[in-house]
Amino acid sequence: MGDAQLKRNQTHVAKQIWVSQIMYKLTADTGGTFTDVVVTDSNGKVTIGKALTTYTRVSEGLIAAIGVAADQLGLSVGELMARTDPLIYGTTIATNAVTTRQIAKTALLVTQGCREMLTVRQGGSPSIRETSETYPAPFVPRSSTFEVIERINAEGGVETPLDEARLRETLIDVRDRGFEAIAVSFLWSMINHEHEARTGELIKEIVGDVPYTLSHDLLPVIREYPRTVTTAIDASLKPVVERDLGRLEGDLRQAGLTGILLVSTSLGGCMEIGAALSQPIYLLRSGPAMAPVAARTVASQEQDGGHTLVCDTGGTTFDVGLVLDGEVSVTKETWLGKERLGEQIGLPMVDIRSLGAGGGSIAWVDEGGMLHVGPQSAKSEPGPACYGRGGNEATVTDAAVVLGYIDPDNFLGGTMKLDAQAAREVVTRLAGQIRMSLLDTAFGIMRVANENMMSGIANITVSEGLDPREAAFVAGGGGAGLNILPIARDLGCKHVLLPPTAGVLSAFGMQVADIKSQFSVSAFSRSVDFDYAAASRAFETIQSKLNEFAETVSVSSAGAPRVRFFVGMRYPMQITELDVSVEKCPGNAAELAQIIDAYHQVHERIYAHRDADSPVEIVYWKGELTIEMDSAHIANASSARLAQVGRVEVSKICDAFFGSESTVETPIYVAQDIGTGAEIDGPAIVIEPTTTIVVYPDMKLRVSEAGNYICDTGAKHDG
């Protein structure tokens, strides 16, 4: 054997060893229609998989999507799973369980006289013009709500001692009636939680291993309804999440997963399954919460600082979120379902506003002949008519096929063929109802969907005092590119940013997310007679709990823990606290004065008013722990273009309809034929493997150096 051949053999062996050692980070998001998968390696290479969501057993759709990615990597599912560490999963288990009421049989224990807490709910109406709304049944039925003889007053004093004898009888009844979870929410327990804590001890003694949630542990705030319903939801999810996540993990392990399994949370981070099971309420909207995290990364590639508006258009919902000055926007008032009619979660969560307006949204005509779109969705089963799975109602996706926006032969990178004739048939039937042409009806469906989506954007921007024209506009989701450009133009936004990973935006967000946890302790005090000892105990408890959480993290790529502390403060008689960041627990009057002054500043910034002469109430202390995950290599992932710089090549020509008198000849471009720096004038259609971007007439598109699509909408706004 010659030296040259020997060298080639050595190189081949070295390459094989190197390949065999490549490890992958895999993130997945299960949506209402599609399950998305993003796989990255240490070089930042991104591989995307997408498959229809399966409802009977979600792991089937997840493993199918993983299989799509594995095929592109030249691996089997088992080989990819064996080299995956970690796998981060955005789950719909909690959200689906709550919205469909497929929850555990839950008992609610409340202070005597408060049995109607969840029935009375919280005052207000979705609309001042609507007086006939039917409020839903309470989350926990009245028949499953038990009164406990006890009473703590607003100052934390014991008005009525806990009647342990009667409580024992109640808990025996709860046990004998087969309740699967218990929620405990007593009045003023956030001020003095001794009765709730004792009830927890008796639950363990009498009922046994049935999971329970105490309101002061989960949400130590004063507002009784959100505190009670949040506690009830958390308790009701514990058996469900433990069962379903356990089954999912078992299926993934059987498929070959050997690495760590994490789940994304509504905090905008992720955590290991064990931690999630202790507070499963943080799994609500775990997937959608990742879209702003992804948008922050994508926007930072194109600009420095500022605000970012993100729209994530899936098959079932249209989700809108914000990034304000580099921080993902968080709210303490998340509604599951329609505002005032759904359930209000009082915990801090990523602020996501969701509408039933996605690619699978069903178009329908009311009795007066008016066209509507959504909120009903065809989902993945049966799906839009063009999927050929039995759907027989017109959807936004069907309209897009009729209009020529989607190539039936190149959907999802050609892995799924669409039935264009089925789409035309269902839209034609709808056209007959409203007496319009086929194309005008399809375009009308898109326009109505646009109006719905614009209302969702206005709800989180204009209604909150933010001009959407002053924010970077990032769009994602499988259906994002179909109509986001005219929406942005009508809002006055000049540009829209779509990353190559737009079709899997939430799953991509998990790639750049960190491990996060929060823990709060109620410790009521006033600035005029501040209890330094109680504050110190609260800080010590929080630090201990966060340390315990940090010790459970076994992800090899995780960095050092970082902790931030906050204090929930308010003026007397206010019902809402504001979180103020603090460096440490105040140990003297001077340090306390600094915190009080910081509260006045925060209050003035938010409400344009401060009352410097008023005392301030301290309601709770909170700690937030962040453990950074290694994601530095992901920043370069979007810049990998197969085509040479500036190259742009037409794949084929189609006839597309944009609301004029007739169709227009429209060039179709495939992503791998477009290089960085390329510029495309509308009308045009750009096909990415997981989404399609429709560039309307008089609009332009270019590819940035980072590999993102920057779309010029033609809006005339000067800002």
Side-chain angles (χ1 to χ4, degrees), residues 361-365 371 378 383-388 390-402 419-434 437-438 441-442 445:
S361 293
I362 295 171
W364 54 283
V365 179
L371 179 65
C386 61
Y387 285 8
N392 59 6
E393 295 180 283
T395 67
V396 173
T397 300
D398 293 312
V401 171
V402 170
D419 187 342
Q421 180 58 33
R424 283 191 289 269
E425 289 175 358
V426 292
V427 176
T428 297
R429 187 165 62 246
L430 197 69
Q433 294 179 256
I434 59 178
S437 70
L438 172 65
T441 300
I445 291 172

Side-chain angles (χ1 to χ4, degrees), residues 225-468:
Y225 170 70
R227 177 163 58 89
T228 302
V229 74
T230 301
T231 302
I233 291 173
D234 184 75
S236 72
L237 287 174
K238 286 181 176 177
V240 176
V241 170
E242 183 174 11
R243 179 195 67 220
D244 291 354
L245 273 186
R247 183 168 68 173
L248 174 71
E249 182 176 19
D251 290 345
L252 292 174
R253 297 295 181 194
Q254 188 173 0
L257 179 66
T258 57
I260 298 296
L261 177 61
L262 307 177
V263 288
S264 64
T265 72
S266 55
L267 292 172
C270 55
M271 60 178 63
E272 296 189 38
I273 283 185
L277 292 179
S278 65
Q279 292 184 329
I281 196 163
Y282 283 114
L283 297 182
L284 293 171
R285 295 185 175 179
S286 79
M290 292 294 109
V293 178
R296 179 176 57 187
T297 296
V298 173
S300 68
Q301 297 172 347
E302 307 296 342
Q303 66 177 33
D304 294 326
H307 305 323
T308 301
L309 168 67
V310 55
C311 297
D312 189 1
T313 312
T316 306
T317 60
F318 176 73
D319 301 322
V320 188
L322 286 175
V323 179
L324 303 176
D325 292 323
E327 293 289 334
V328 173
S329 180
V330 173
T331 179
K332 293 181 181 178
E333 294 188 357
T334 296
W335 288 90
L336 293 180
K338 192 174 182 180
E339 186 174 348
R340 304 291 175 182
L341 299 180
E343 311 298 344
Q344 184 186 16
I345 308 300
L347 286 166
M349 293 184 173
V350 172
D351 192 2
I352 292 290
R353 314 290 173 89
S354 297
L355 294 174
S361 293
I362 295 171
W364 54 283
V365 179
D366 65 18
E367 294 179 354
M370 182 174 291
L371 179 65
H372 299 265
V373 177
Q376 305 90 340
S377 174
K379 300 184 177 180
S380 64
E381 298 175 1
C386 61
Y387 285 8
R389 297 165 60 91
N392 59 6
E393 295 180 283
T395 67
V396 173
T397 300
D398 293 312
V401 171
V402 170
L403 293 169
Y405 299 170
I406 295 177
D407 184 353
D409 297 323
N410 198 5
F411 188 67
L412 294 185
T415 61
M416 182 176 176
K417 302 295 183 181
L418 299 183
D419 187 342
Q421 180 58 33
R424 283 191 289 269
E425 289 175 358
V426 292
V427 176
T428 297
R429 187 165 62 246
L430 197 69
Q433 294 179 256
I434 59 178
R435 298 178 182 179
M436 293 176 64
S437 70
L438 172 65
L439 290 177
D440 285 335
T441 300
F443 196 73
I445 291 172
M446 300 299 290
R447 289 298 301 268
V448 173
N450 290 0
E451 293 295 328
N452 292 342
M453 295 175 182
M454 286 177 64
S455 69
I457 295 172
N459 182 255
I460 200 173
T461 55
V462 178
S463 298
E464 301 292 337
L466 175 68
D467 187 340

Side-chain angles (χ1 to χ4, degrees), residues 24-30 62 66 81 84-93 241 245-246 248-249 252-253 257-266 268-277 282-283 286-287 290 506-507 509-517 549-559 627-630:
Y24 299 95
K25 182 177 184 179
L26 191 153
T27 54
D29 175 42
T30 294
L62 173 57
I66 293 172
M81 298 290 270
T84 293
D85 190 23
L87 189 155
I88 306 175
Y89 179 60
T91 175
T92 57
I93 291 172
V241 170
L245 273 186
L248 174 71
E249 182 176 19
L252 292 174
R253 297 295 181 194
L257 179 66
T258 57
I260 298 296
L261 177 61
L262 307 177
V263 288
S264 64
T265 72
S266 55
C270 55
M271 60 178 63
E272 296 189 38
I273 283 185
L277 292 179
Y282 283 114
L283 297 182
S286 79
M290 292 294 109
S506 291
M510 298 173 206
Q511 288 280 342
V512 295
D514 298 321
I515 295 173
K516 282 191 175 184
S517 182
F549 175 85
E551 290 173 359
T552 66
V553 176
S554 54
V555 182
S556 59
S557 59
I627 302 177
E628 291 188 1
M629 299 275 281
D630 180 17

